[in-house]
Amino acid sequence: MESKGEMISFKRTFQLAGLFLSIWGASPALADKVSQNNSFKITSFNIEWFGLGGDMKGSAQNETRHATIREFLDQNFSDTDVFAFQEIVDVAALTDVLPKEWKCLTYESQNARHQHVVLCHRGAFVFIREPGDNNDVIDEVSLDSSRSRPALRVLVQRKGGKPFVRITNVHLKAFPMESATRVRQATAMAKSLASSKVKVPNIILGDFNTYKSDKTGAKENDVVLIDKAFKSEKLDLAHVSHSAKNTYRKGNYQEQLDHIWVSSSVAITEPMRVWSACNSDPRGK
């Protein structure tokens, strides 16, 4: 999504609500209780070059969107439990646009202009590191640390509960000619997730930078190739569909770059919604 009302440049936003069932063969009453405890809404939000004012050549002094983003989130996504952010250069500043109870997680980068992927949760939830890991990322997804980003992976539980879902937030390599790179990144991610010790449902979401085959020169669309990469490791994942034509629009440029894959044991309780500006006309209407 892009909004130019105050020379602000957001990118795209979409939300999904679901139930995550990890108890099989339970009584109906117990299953209902588990469903209520394991339900939440997750929103993916790409904020273009956040920390640099929406411009890769910008600076911290150019970043004036804090109040506008805070108002946008309060008005439209106050019911979200977990945010998956992409393109966050200034991670510390991101906490200024979220309520005080929210906690965020990311990783370190030596590049001062690195676009981080970040996961944040409201106070009722806790992020847990994958057992055996020494960090919260899938390093193999960052094929070249100077040109790509790792995937950020966490287990999620309610306070006092047990992990009931794994969330992986991604921002894959951009540009149509990098289709093969994105497939390699998806394959690396799939191998890592398939070897996870904790067996809970998966959600993989974020900016996949996908294009159709007529732009990439590949035999199939990126979404199909990434889906095959996930299935090659026998991950029980399905791509979540929606009715929106685009997940990104800036002027006359429009694409479906952003996606969610979920395990079959995730019951989607509300249709995924893509923010309306992503499908507005070039004037943002």
Side-chain angles (χ1 to χ4, degrees):
M1 141 187 172
E2 188 194 51
S3 171
K4 292 186 177 178
E6 300 178 28
M7 292 301 290
I8 7 182
S9 179
F10 296 168
K11 279 183 99 174
R12 49 265 190 196
T13 315
F14 55 93
Q15 184 183 62
L16 184 73
L19 305 176
F20 306 90
L21 304 180
S22 56
I23 295 181
W24 301 96
S27 67
L30 179 57
D32 287 343
K33 183 177 180 180
V34 172
S35 298
Q36 293 172 4
N37 289 339
N38 293 354
S39 64
F40 74 99
K41 287 186 177 181
I42 185 168
T43 298
S44 179
F45 191 4
N46 185 312
I47 311 178
E48 188 169 24
W49 290 101
F50 180 74
L52 301 179
D55 187 342
M56 65 181 298
K57 297 180 181 179
S59 66
Q61 289 70 37
N62 299 131
E63 188 52 82
T64 60
R65 296 173 291 178
H66 300 76
T68 305
I69 294 172
R70 186 184 305 114
E71 181 182 5
F72 172 74
L73 296 179
D74 287 346
Q75 291 181 355
N76 300 283
F77 296 95
S78 61
D79 58 347
T80 285
D81 298 303
V82 175
F83 277 109
F85 292 103
Q86 304 92 37
E87 292 205 33
I88 307 301
V89 177
D90 189 344
V91 177
L94 181 65
T95 61
D96 293 338
V97 307
L98 295 172
K100 290 184 178 179
E101 65 158 330
W102 281 70
K103 304 294 182 184
C104 295
L105 177 71
T106 189
Y107 51 90
E108 294 184 359
S109 173
Q110 299 302 312
N111 181 357
R113 306 177 85 80
H114 178 77
Q115 295 176 317
H116 297 78
V117 290
V118 182
L119 284 166
C120 303
H121 65 80
R122 68 168 65 249
F125 295 88
V126 179
F127 288 159
I128 303 296
R129 178 171 292 177
E130 197 80 32
D133 280 4
N134 59 7
N135 57 32
D136 300 296
V137 302
I138 304 176
D139 295 292
E140 296 83 357
V141 175
S142 179
L143 301 176
D144 178 347
S145 59
S146 66
R147 297 175 60 249
S148 58
R149 295 151 288 265
L152 184 62
R153 169 185 58 188
V154 296
L155 298 168
V156 183
Q157 66 184 47
R158 287 187 177 270
K159 284 186 174 179
K162 295 182 179 181
F164 63 89
V165 68
R166 178 183 295 103
I167 297 174
T168 304
N169 182 16
V170 306
H171 184 182
L172 301 188
K173 187 62 184 170
F175 307 117
M177 73 287 293
E178 297 285 357
S179 177
T181 301
R182 289 186 286 274
V183 173
R184 287 170 58 203
Q185 290 179 297
T187 300
M189 190 177 357
K191 289 181 181 295
S192 180
L193 293 174
S195 65
S196 298
K197 296 178 181 178
V198 179
K199 303 304 179 184
V200 293
N202 283 291
I203 298 178
I204 306 174
L205 79 168
D207 181 355
F208 286 80
N209 272 312
T210 52
Y211 294 87
K212 293 185 177 181
S213 59
D214 61 341
K215 293 187 177 180
T216 65
K219 292 183 178 180
E220 295 177 287
N221 296 340
D222 280 348
V223 169
V224 175
L225 295 173
I226 290 171
D227 193 67
K228 287 184 176 180
F230 292 155
K231 287 181 168 56
S232 70
E233 294 299 323
K234 296 182 172 55
L235 293 179
D236 182 22
L237 292 170
H239 182 254
V240 180
S241 60
H242 55 82
S243 59
K245 180 180 178 181
N246 311 305
T247 66
Y248 175 63
R249 181 156 192 169
K250 187 173 184 178
N252 291 319
Y253 183 80
Q254 53 189 309
E255 292 289 348
Q256 283 210 26
L257 304 178
D258 312 88
H259 304 274
I260 300 182
W261 272 264
V262 301
S263 296
S264 62
S265 53
V266 174
I268 300 174
T269 59
E270 298 176 16
M272 187 171 85
R273 63 186 180 110
V274 179
W275 185 245
S276 56
C278 300
N279 293 280
S280 61
D281 67 21
R283 297 169 296 169
K285 296 181 179 180

